[in-house]
């Protein structure tokens, strides 16, 4: 799982990321108010809570923390290139 700071980098290149996901047969990241999804990060707050991230759209995002037992989406990331 990506760390919270890695998830914060995705909106900067959302069009490139989604084009790559589509080209490889995967689902693009929802980036609009009608399709908001919350994704777990690997960044933990403590042993019971971890941070999550949402791609809301128009350059906006949201993050917070939830108890680990809650159901949220997962988005695996292989690598970031600068």
């Amino acid at each position: 799982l990506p760390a919270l700071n890695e998830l914060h980098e995705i909106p900067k290149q959302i069009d490139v990321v989604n084009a790559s996901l589509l080209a490889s047969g995967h689902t693009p990241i929802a980036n609009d108010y009608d399709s908001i999804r919350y994704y777990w990060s690997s960044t933990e707050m403590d042993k019971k809570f971890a941070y999550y991230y949402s791609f809301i759209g128009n350059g906006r995002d949201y993050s917070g923390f939830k108890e680990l037992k809650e159901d949220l989406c997962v988005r695996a990331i292989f690598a970031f290139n600068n």
Side-chain angles (χ1 to χ4, degrees):
L1 288 178
L4 186 60
N5 64 324
E6 292 172 321
L7 287 168
H8 278 291
E9 294 297 314
I10 291 175
K12 296 175 185 176
Q13 297 291 326
I14 193 71
D15 293 333
V16 173
V17 170
N18 279 340
S20 178
L21 287 167
L22 285 170
S24 61
H26 295 88
T27 305
I29 294 171
N31 194 28
D32 58 57
Y33 288 107
D34 295 330
S35 303
I36 296 174
R37 290 191 175 89
Y38 298 93
Y39 296 91
W40 282 118
S41 78
S42 62
T43 306
E44 296 178 337
M45 181 180 171
D46 60 26
K47 66 181 181 177
K48 288 182 68 178
F49 292 88
Y51 287 90
Y52 66 91
Y53 187 88
S54 180
F55 305 94
I56 296 174
N58 297 328
R60 291 185 286 259
D61 56 16
Y62 180 79
S63 60
F65 59 89
K66 289 190 175 274
E67 194 165 0
L68 292 170
K69 67 181 181 179
E70 295 192 39
D71 291 333
L72 300 178
C73 298
V74 175
R75 178 64 71 169
I77 296 178
F78 179 67
F80 283 97
N81 295 321
N82 293 333

